[in-house]
Amino acid sequence: MSVRIGNIDLGEFPLLLAPMEDVSDPPFRYVCKQNGADMMYTEFISSEGLIRDAAKSRQKLDIFEYERPIGIQIFGSDIDHMREATEIATQANPDLMDINYGCPVKNVACRGAGASLLQDIDKMVAMTKAVVEATHLPVTVKTRLGWDDNTKNVYEVAERLQDVGIKALTIHGRTRAQMYKGQADWALIRDIKKNPRIQIPIFGNGDIDSPHKAAAWRMEYEVDGMMIGRASIGYPRIFREIKHFFKTGEILDGPTITERVNVCRTHLMKSMEWKGEKTGIFEMRRHYSNYFKGLENFKEFRTKLVTAPTVTEINDLLSAIELKYSAEMV
């Protein structure tokens, strides 16, 4: 059975790339798509920024045909502004709109947006209804279990948001109070999936970092698909590895150093294509240590990569990395 969000067919058990601030921009989405991500989201975009026409917020609306299906994720604390931001984002022609009710960071949650709405379900429902009514696109939501251990109210949230028209719900298995600490608890996600009132796809998110875990949790928690975030940073092939394991029951061999270098190069090229050479090089610097995690004595290379000012120097360094670590692995 295919999973569907509105008219979007995502296949049997889709793997979604989580929206991550300063990570899931078009260059990163490109390498994740190449590795099999079934659906992706933009970085979350401030409704206030869209309304003010802030350059940074507007640039986050950039989407490309090869990325489809793709959702634009927005957040905010004012219902009218969220409605207006939805209308603006719809004009960028994504496949769906997504609302962030899960971001736990202070400068979002303490301003009444993101996970903060878990403290005011009536407002969350009203905001969601306004977004649904402001667009012809399917609307989905990403949220958490609750604000803290005493208010795990996502069961009610799922029913009420479905009632006002959302087409899918992604649940991160932590409360806002947990931030990203401790273990994600998927038991409540399973309860929501088993609720006979719930007819929309339910996706689980949190701690999926290996094919074995993905397969075990798929069986145990019976979700319709999984959203992967942090485990894909520097390792977009996590999508390919999980799909391969689902299909064959076998674990793919780990990437060679050449494969790691090639993905890093592709990411760099796409970064420069999107932002221009200078900004593209600068923004790529945050990714190098993730692409080469686990390599011994890598610090010297990392230092050079994050200070190299030209693409020629970076490519020379990547070639040197490939040469050195290929020789060591033989």
Side-chain angles (χ1 to χ4, degrees), residues 311-324:
V311 67
T312 305
E313 287 171 75
I314 295 167
N315 274 323
D316 288 347
L317 284 164
L318 291 173
S319 296
I321 289 164
E322 185 178 357
L323 195 64
K324 172 179 163 62

PDB file of all heavy atoms in Angstrom, residues 311-324:
ATOM      1  N   VAL A 311      37.965  27.402  -4.481  1.00  0.00           N
ATOM      2  CA  VAL A 311      37.505  26.054  -4.808  1.00  0.00           C
ATOM      3  C   VAL A 311      38.679  25.180  -5.265  1.00  0.00           C
ATOM      4  O   VAL A 311      38.708  23.978  -4.997  1.00  0.00           O
ATOM      5  CB  VAL A 311      36.366  26.099  -5.854  1.00  0.00           C
ATOM      6  CG1 VAL A 311      36.851  26.607  -7.198  1.00  0.00           C
ATOM      7  CG2 VAL A 311      35.712  24.738  -6.003  1.00  0.00           C
ATOM      8  N   THR A 312      39.668  25.786  -5.907  1.00  0.00           N
ATOM      9  CA  THR A 312      40.845  25.013  -6.350  1.00  0.00           C
ATOM     10  C   THR A 312      41.577  24.432  -5.147  1.00  0.00           C
ATOM     11  O   THR A 312      41.929  23.240  -5.133  1.00  0.00           O
ATOM     12  CB  THR A 312      41.812  25.919  -7.160  1.00  0.00           C
ATOM     13  OG1 THR A 312      41.075  26.498  -8.233  1.00  0.00           O
ATOM     14  CG2 THR A 312      42.970  25.121  -7.717  1.00  0.00           C
ATOM     15  N   GLU A 313      41.783  25.263  -4.128  1.00  0.00           N
ATOM     16  CA  GLU A 313      42.477  24.775  -2.927  1.00  0.00           C
ATOM     17  C   GLU A 313      41.670  23.691  -2.219  1.00  0.00           C
ATOM     18  O   GLU A 313      42.232  22.704  -1.734  1.00  0.00           O
ATOM     19  CB  GLU A 313      42.744  25.945  -1.968  1.00  0.00           C
ATOM     20  CG  GLU A 313      43.854  26.870  -2.446  1.00  0.00           C
ATOM     21  CD  GLU A 313      43.957  28.130  -1.595  1.00  0.00           C
ATOM     22  OE1 GLU A 313      44.462  28.024  -0.474  1.00  0.00           O
ATOM     23  OE2 GLU A 313      43.511  29.198  -2.062  1.00  0.00           O
ATOM     24  N   ILE A 314      40.358  23.886  -2.169  1.00  0.00           N
ATOM     25  CA  ILE A 314      39.516  22.875  -1.504  1.00  0.00           C
ATOM     26  C   ILE A 314      39.577  21.559  -2.269  1.00  0.00           C
ATOM     27  O   ILE A 314      39.735  20.478  -1.677  1.00  0.00           O
ATOM     28  CB  ILE A 314      38.061  23.368  -1.383  1.00  0.00           C
ATOM     29  CG1 ILE A 314      37.990  24.592  -0.467  1.00  0.00           C
ATOM     30  CG2 ILE A 314      37.164  22.256  -0.825  1.00  0.00           C
ATOM     31  CD1 ILE A 314      36.673  25.337  -0.530  1.00  0.00           C
ATOM     32  N   ASN A 315      39.491  21.630  -3.596  1.00  0.00           N
ATOM     33  CA  ASN A 315      39.554  20.397  -4.395  1.00  0.00           C
ATOM     34  C   ASN A 315      40.904  19.699  -4.255  1.00  0.00           C
ATOM     35  O   ASN A 315      40.972  18.467  -4.204  1.00  0.00           O
ATOM     36  CB  ASN A 315      39.256  20.700  -5.874  1.00  0.00           C
ATOM     37  CG  ASN A 315      37.756  20.696  -6.151  1.00  0.00           C
ATOM     38  OD1 ASN A 315      37.017  19.892  -5.585  1.00  0.00           O
ATOM     39  ND2 ASN A 315      37.305  21.595  -7.009  1.00  0.00           N
ATOM     40  N   ASP A 316      41.981  20.485  -4.167  1.00  0.00           N
ATOM     41  CA  ASP A 316      43.309  19.890  -3.941  1.00  0.00           C
ATOM     42  C   ASP A 316      43.362  19.178  -2.589  1.00  0.00           C
ATOM     43  O   ASP A 316      43.922  18.076  -2.468  1.00  0.00           O
ATOM     44  CB  ASP A 316      44.398  20.963  -4.005  1.00  0.00           C
ATOM     45  CG  ASP A 316      44.647  21.460  -5.431  1.00  0.00           C
ATOM     46  OD1 ASP A 316      44.149  20.804  -6.379  1.00  0.00           O
ATOM     47  OD2 ASP A 316      45.311  22.508  -5.587  1.00  0.00           O
ATOM     48  N   LEU A 317      42.774  19.809  -1.571  1.00  0.00           N
ATOM     49  CA  LEU A 317      42.736  19.181  -0.241  1.00  0.00           C
ATOM     50  C   LEU A 317      41.909  17.899  -0.257  1.00  0.00           C
ATOM     51  O   LEU A 317      42.299  16.888   0.327  1.00  0.00           O
ATOM     52  CB  LEU A 317      42.148  20.161   0.788  1.00  0.00           C
ATOM     53  CG  LEU A 317      43.080  21.278   1.254  1.00  0.00           C
ATOM     54  CD1 LEU A 317      42.292  22.387   1.941  1.00  0.00           C
ATOM     55  CD2 LEU A 317      44.158  20.726   2.209  1.00  0.00           C
ATOM     56  N   LEU A 318      40.769  17.935  -0.952  1.00  0.00           N
ATOM     57  CA  LEU A 318      39.926  16.728  -1.028  1.00  0.00           C
ATOM     58  C   LEU A 318      40.662  15.600  -1.744  1.00  0.00           C
ATOM     59  O   LEU A 318      40.569  14.428  -1.350  1.00  0.00           O
ATOM     60  CB  LEU A 318      38.598  17.054  -1.723  1.00  0.00           C
ATOM     61  CG  LEU A 318      37.653  17.963  -0.932  1.00  0.00           C
ATOM     62  CD1 LEU A 318      36.447  18.366  -1.784  1.00  0.00           C
ATOM     63  CD2 LEU A 318      37.169  17.293   0.365  1.00  0.00           C
ATOM     64  N   SER A 319      41.418  15.952  -2.774  1.00  0.00           N
ATOM     65  CA  SER A 319      42.220  14.930  -3.478  1.00  0.00           C
ATOM     66  C   SER A 319      43.296  14.361  -2.555  1.00  0.00           C
ATOM     67  O   SER A 319      43.561  13.148  -2.558  1.00  0.00           O
ATOM     68  CB  SER A 319      42.877  15.536  -4.726  1.00  0.00           C
ATOM     69  OG  SER A 319      41.888  15.948  -5.648  1.00  0.00           O
ATOM     70  N   ALA A 320      43.897  15.225  -1.758  1.00  0.00           N
ATOM     71  CA  ALA A 320      44.929  14.772  -0.808  1.00  0.00           C
ATOM     72  C   ALA A 320      44.327  13.853   0.251  1.00  0.00           C
ATOM     73  O   ALA A 320      44.941  12.850   0.647  1.00  0.00           O
ATOM     74  CB  ALA A 320      45.602  15.981  -0.151  1.00  0.00           C
ATOM     75  N   ILE A 321      43.125  14.185   0.709  1.00  0.00           N
ATOM     76  CA  ILE A 321      42.430  13.338   1.690  1.00  0.00           C
ATOM     77  C   ILE A 321      42.158  11.965   1.084  1.00  0.00           C
ATOM     78  O   ILE A 321      42.407  10.926   1.701  1.00  0.00           O
ATOM     79  CB  ILE A 321      41.105  14.014   2.128  1.00  0.00           C
ATOM     80  CG1 ILE A 321      41.399  15.245   2.995  1.00  0.00           C
ATOM     81  CG2 ILE A 321      40.201  13.031   2.881  1.00  0.00           C
ATOM     82  CD1 ILE A 321      40.209  16.183   3.162  1.00  0.00           C
ATOM     83  N   GLU A 322      41.670  11.968  -0.148  1.00  0.00           N
ATOM     84  CA  GLU A 322      41.366  10.701  -0.831  1.00  0.00           C
ATOM     85  C   GLU A 322      42.615   9.842  -0.970  1.00  0.00           C
ATOM     86  O   GLU A 322      42.600   8.643  -0.687  1.00  0.00           O
ATOM     87  CB  GLU A 322      40.766  11.021  -2.206  1.00  0.00           C
ATOM     88  CG  GLU A 322      40.291   9.797  -2.954  1.00  0.00           C
ATOM     89  CD  GLU A 322      39.668  10.147  -4.294  1.00  0.00           C
ATOM     90  OE1 GLU A 322      39.542  11.355  -4.625  1.00  0.00           O
ATOM     91  OE2 GLU A 322      39.305   9.207  -5.022  1.00  0.00           O
ATOM     92  N   LEU A 323      43.679  10.478  -1.362  1.00  0.00           N
ATOM     93  CA  LEU A 323      44.946   9.758  -1.565  1.00  0.00           C
ATOM     94  C   LEU A 323      45.461   9.179  -0.253  1.00  0.00           C
ATOM     95  O   LEU A 323      45.801   7.980  -0.167  1.00  0.00           O
ATOM     96  CB  LEU A 323      45.972  10.723  -2.160  1.00  0.00           C
ATOM     97  CG  LEU A 323      47.240  10.103  -2.773  1.00  0.00           C
ATOM     98  CD1 LEU A 323      46.878   9.248  -3.954  1.00  0.00           C
ATOM     99  CD2 LEU A 323      48.201  11.218  -3.178  1.00  0.00           C
ATOM    100  N   LYS A 324      45.519  10.016   0.767  1.00  0.00           N
ATOM    101  CA  LYS A 324      46.078   9.581   2.055  1.00  0.00           C
ATOM    102  C   LYS A 324      45.265   8.445   2.660  1.00  0.00           C
ATOM    103  O   LYS A 324      45.826   7.421   3.067  1.00  0.00           O
ATOM    104  CB  LYS A 324      46.119  10.768   3.024  1.00  0.00           C
ATOM    105  CG  LYS A 324      46.514  10.401   4.459  1.00  0.00           C
ATOM    106  CD  LYS A 324      46.544  11.639   5.341  1.00  0.00           C
ATOM    107  CE  LYS A 324      46.514  11.315   6.833  1.00  0.00           C
ATOM    108  NZ  LYS A 324      47.652  10.546   7.311  1.00  0.00           N
TER     109      LYS A 324
END
